[in-house]
Amino acid sequence: MTRSRLNTPVLKSRSKLAILVANLALLTTLSGCMDGAPKYDSCEAAGESCTRFTLVHTNDHHGRFWQNDKGEYGMAARKTLIDSIRKEVSEAGGSMLLLSGGDINTGVPESDLQHAEPDFLGMNLLKYDAMAVGNHEFDNPLAILDKQRKWAQFPMLSANIYRKVDDEWQLYFEPYRIFDVGGLKLAIVGLTTEQTAQIGNPKYVKALRFNKPQIALRNTLTQIKHNEKPDLVFALSHIGHYQDGNHGSNTPGDVALARSLKRGQLDGIIGGHSQNPVCMEAPNKYADFKPGDECQPDRQRGTWIMQAYEWGKYVGRADFEYYNDELHLANYRLLPVNLYDEQGKQHGDYAEDPQMIELLTPYQQQGQGILNEVVGSTSAKLVGSRKVVRSQINELGVLIATAQSRGVVKADFGIMNSGGIRASIEQGDIRYRDVLTVQPFANSVTVTKMVGKEIEQYLATVATQSRGSGGFAHFSGIDMTVNCQTQRVNIHSINGEAFDKTKRYSFSLPGYNAGGGNGYPVLSNAVDSGYIDADLLNLYIKQHSPIDPSSDQWKHKVKFTGASTPLGCDG
């Protein structure tokens, strides 16, 4: 099908009066619901040949099925908002699809403990039409992921993930799905960041292959064009949006994806992964977006690119009109879900849907009962903020490494990657929820044995990981000097005894890193201890509470030289 492409500004121009009238009409019909109902004035001339449809989207849910302590977001309030949008679109003669940019898993203990079952069931009640497979869908064993696929009453899409079946690489998920929107054939193609092979749990992703999204999309577009002949094609991606395509150490994202195609090959990208509101104030420049602000999505080579931040804090709404073989974006907004701004003003005021509350309450209560158990206490805050633990070895990192090596697992020393430390523990009582918030990934803990000389070689890579990266390591039970310039280590003692290059030692390490995660050398002889990281930390705190972070017990004995800072090696 030959189609001319849109050459108009990013948002269809309208008079201020028209916008005011639309907003007043909306307020009249939906008290307290400011979701910007579409005005289809540009369709009038086209008459019945104009097709109206709306894409509503969220991404990077990360277990936030319940509202936070301030009453922000949550799936119950989201349902109220989405139901109102669905009703408006239907009454205006349009069609609607509800899409997710992926990463349903990992982030809140109540969800993590239950393998995100409440989240997927909540998505069913919200009537999601499709989701992209995110990298955090691989934080669990594939058996859990397969169970989640059964829970989901919508397709999980990815055109670039392959699994070996009978010596043949086959797509693990549906690559795309065709939807009927008002008589138009709309193809939605799923894409997952190829970086999942590095940042996913090696234990779970080792049997999979993650192809480059750009290549996968081009191949899929050829297949769709030949087999399906759609009117429109959108990518539902979990590869990230990076301003002007500057993805840094990440793999190329949505901007690079759009730029890799010829104009007219792809109509839009609904994204996720980078967890940012894609609102532009100028070509290739992010706006300083705040709740309630207008949002102008990105556009590259005629391809619209949209992303709705994270956690269901916002619901993205894109109202499209298709006539004369052209796609027009009539209206776009990021709608805040009961969010408070820095001045304490609330944006969005949506009541919680009773049906969703009824569905989710048992899961919330079950999670709360387990998580509120007090397992110990600390006399001072154990700092686990990203900016701290990824830039210096500290008491919490040493405590975790000790819990993994000197508790029920008897190893000579311990190593803990900073990327696996996700939160602080406040002074006072420590609850089970605090432990799971600090270590939400349920990584197995491994034990590896090496002679001293081999350990020196191994730590030359591990101990010199750059500050700021998730691979920056915390240690317990080892006294050594790390030369960042020569990338060598000089070990003085292990487990309180003088170091011997010929002696055989054992050390604990998260299975994620033993499998090569964070760029650590793969340890083929690592043995799974049978214990999960958070379980070991939980048990250790129970047995050694109260924890006193000021004690010498939690001070590391690692000295860094040949670097601009004594805290660690710079990249």
Side-chain angles (χ1 to χ4, degrees), residues 265-313:
Q265 285 188 283
L266 188 65
D267 295 283
I269 301 172
I270 304 296
H273 186 53
S274 52
Q275 297 180 221
N276 56 325
V278 176
C279 302
M280 317 304 290
E281 66 178 11
N284 305 321
K285 183 179 181 182
Y286 287 134
D288 182 18
F289 179 80
K290 294 180 176 60
D293 286 354
E294 297 294 324
C295 178
Q296 181 168 287
D298 199 359
R299 195 166 187 228
Q300 301 286 335
R301 293 199 177 180
T303 300
W304 303 104
I305 307 177
M306 304 163 180
Q307 187 178 157
Y309 198 16
E310 63 183 5
W311 303 0
K313 293 177 180 177

Side-chain angles (χ1 to χ4, degrees), residues 169-443:
W169 287 103
Q170 298 180 3
L171 279 166
Y172 191 13
F173 300 90
E174 286 184 63
Y176 65 89
R177 180 66 70 92
I178 302 294
F179 294 93
D180 183 320
V181 287
L184 289 176
K185 292 180 70 174
L186 172 61
I188 302 289
V189 182
L191 297 169
T192 306
T193 175
E194 64 194 275
Q195 206 168 18
T196 305
Q198 287 75 48
I199 61 179
N201 191 316
K203 183 177 180 180
Y204 306 142
V205 302
K206 63 182 180 181
L208 304 175
R209 190 178 76 198
F210 296 83
N211 288 1
K212 293 182 181 300
Q214 294 180 18
I215 296 175
L217 179 59
R218 285 199 294 269
N219 292 339
T220 305
L221 288 175
T222 300
Q223 178 185 354
I224 291 175
K225 183 178 179 181
H226 182 266
N227 295 334
E228 308 288 352
K229 297 180 175 58
D231 299 291
L232 298 165
V233 181
F234 277 72
L236 185 57
S237 84
H238 192 85
I239 63 177
H241 183 280
Y242 307 104
Q243 183 173 277
D244 200 22
N246 297 320
H247 55 86
S249 60
N250 298 290
T251 50
D254 294 327
V255 173
L257 180 71
R259 290 176 178 176
S260 71
L261 300 169
K262 295 179 181 178
R263 182 177 290 272
Q265 285 188 283
L266 188 65
D267 295 283
I269 301 172
I270 304 296
H273 186 53
S274 52
Q275 297 180 221
N276 56 325
V278 176
C279 302
M280 317 304 290
E281 66 178 11
N284 305 321
K285 183 179 181 182
Y286 287 134
D288 182 18
F289 179 80
K290 294 180 176 60
D293 286 354
E294 297 294 324
C295 178
Q296 181 168 287
D298 199 359
R299 195 166 187 228
Q300 301 286 335
R301 293 199 177 180
T303 300
W304 303 104
I305 307 177
M306 304 163 180
Q307 187 178 157
Y309 198 16
E310 63 183 5
W311 303 0
K313 293 177 180 177
Y314 295 89
V315 168
R317 174 176 181 167
D319 298 302
F320 289 100
E321 300 167 349
Y322 182 75
Y323 56 94
N324 297 333
D325 289 334
E326 290 186 344
L327 181 67
H328 301 257
L329 180 60
N331 178 62
Y332 184 76
R333 290 190 66 187
L334 285 185
L335 305 167
V337 183
N338 300 350
L339 296 185
Y340 289 92
D341 61 24
E342 295 175 354
Q343 287 72 45
K345 179 182 177 182
Q346 188 182 41
H347 296 268
D349 184 12
Y350 306 107
E352 293 190 298
D353 178 80
Q355 189 179 6
M356 185 67 79
I357 289 294
E358 183 180 2
L359 171 68
L360 298 180
T361 295
Y363 292 98
Q364 179 71 2
Q365 291 176 340
Q366 181 175 341
Q368 291 283 320
I370 299 171
L371 295 168
N372 285 334
E373 177 195 357
V374 176
V375 298
S377 65
T378 174
S379 61
K381 181 178 181 177
L382 290 160
V383 180
S385 64
R386 180 188 181 104
K387 66 179 182 180
V388 173
V389 297
R390 295 196 182 200
S391 62
Q392 63 186 77
I393 303 174
N394 76 343
E395 293 81 3
L396 181 56
V398 175
L399 171 63
I400 294 173
T402 302
Q404 294 182 6
S405 62
R406 302 302 298 155
V408 294
V409 175
K410 303 300 181 183
D412 295 306
F413 68 100
I415 306 171
M416 179 63 200
N417 68 312
S418 59
I421 305 173
R422 309 300 285 195
S424 301
I425 298 177
E426 298 297 330
Q427 179 181 359
D429 286 344
I430 301 174
R431 300 181 185 276
Y432 185 38
R433 70 165 59 253
D434 300 319
V435 175
L436 292 180
T437 304
V438 171
Q439 294 194 282
F441 298 118
N443 273 315

Side-chain angles (χ1 to χ4, degrees), residues 57-84:
H57 62 99
T58 60
N59 57 275
D60 295 273
H61 171 81
H62 287 300
R64 266 71 179 188
F65 69 87
W66 203 256
Q67 65 178 13
N68 69 2
D69 293 339
K70 295 169 63 177
E72 297 178 304
Y73 51 90
M75 299 184 90
R78 192 194 311 175
K79 185 175 187 299
T80 298
L81 169 57
I82 290 174
D83 283 353
S84 71

Side-chain angles (χ1 to χ4, degrees), residues 481-487 559-566 568-570:
T481 300
V482 180
N483 190 314
C484 299
Q485 190 170 9
T486 63
Q487 293 194 315
K559 181 180 180 181
F560 293 92
T561 63
S564 58
T565 171
C569 299
D570 293 317

